[in-house]
Amino acid sequence: MPAHILVVEDNADNRKLVVRMLAQEGFHGEAVESAEEALVRLEQRRFDLVLMDVRLPRMDGKEATRRLRQDPRFRDLPIIAVSAHVVGKQHEEILASGVSALVTKPIDMDELLGAIRRLLPADAKPGLVIEAGN
């Protein structure tokens, strides 16, 4: 069964790019544009991994990750933080929020895919299914 990956990204072009890249690699990608929407979507269906933009309007990716980690159902859910602005202590602050890994923008697709494959559960095999949001 292909891995289900939730992409949390407020930029429409970035959402489309990442979901398309995931599809090319055989993953099932679904995109939302806010942390609040991500929290709702995670209540509605099961995902194998989350790609979480750090800088989001209203609730940022760090706060969303902290909230997820407080829920026993999501404590072990792999969450990869994605951020363009990581300098000095920001790297440590992002990791301290509970993310499993951090990938910086502009996204190096090989680095991102390596992190995804490393963190996915063993039974989450690539397939050819895709569902894209906006």
Side-chain angles (χ1 to χ4, degrees), residues 19-47:
V19 168
R20 189 176 314 124
M21 180 271 307
L22 291 172
Q24 290 171 346
E25 295 298 319
F27 298 113
H28 176 103
E30 185 173 335
V32 296
E33 62 182 277
S34 72
E36 295 87 355
E37 193 176 353
L39 295 176
V40 169
R41 192 66 53 92
L42 285 160
E43 290 289 335
Q44 296 171 338
R45 67 185 304 180
R46 183 186 158 282
F47 289 90

Side-chain angles (χ1 to χ4, degrees), residues 31-131:
V32 296
E33 62 182 277
S34 72
E36 295 87 355
E37 193 176 353
L39 295 176
V40 169
R41 192 66 53 92
L42 285 160
E43 290 289 335
Q44 296 171 338
R45 67 185 304 180
R46 183 186 158 282
F47 289 90
D48 298 297
L49 185 138
V50 176
L51 296 178
M52 179 78 72
D53 189 14
V54 173
R55 293 186 143 215
L56 295 164
R58 297 176 304 281
M59 182 190 315
D60 69 17
K62 293 182 293 187
E63 178 60 26
T65 298
R66 283 190 285 272
R67 290 185 186 194
L68 288 169
R69 294 303 189 217
Q70 291 173 356
D71 186 325
R73 296 173 296 162
F74 303 118
R75 278 201 186 118
D76 297 323
L77 176 67
I79 300 173
I80 300 174
V82 181
S83 181
H85 307 285
V86 182
V87 292
K89 287 189 170 189
Q90 290 176 336
H91 186 271
E92 294 160 14
E93 290 172 6
I94 293 168
L95 292 176
S97 71
V99 299
S100 310
L102 170 62
V103 173
T104 57
K105 294 178 183 177
I107 295 174
D108 177 314
M109 293 301 180
D110 290 333
E111 178 186 3
L112 179 60
L113 288 170
I116 290 170
R117 289 188 177 106
R118 186 174 66 254
L119 293 169
L120 276 176
D123 63 344
K125 304 282 187 236
L128 295 174
V129 180
I130 181 168
E131 180 180 325

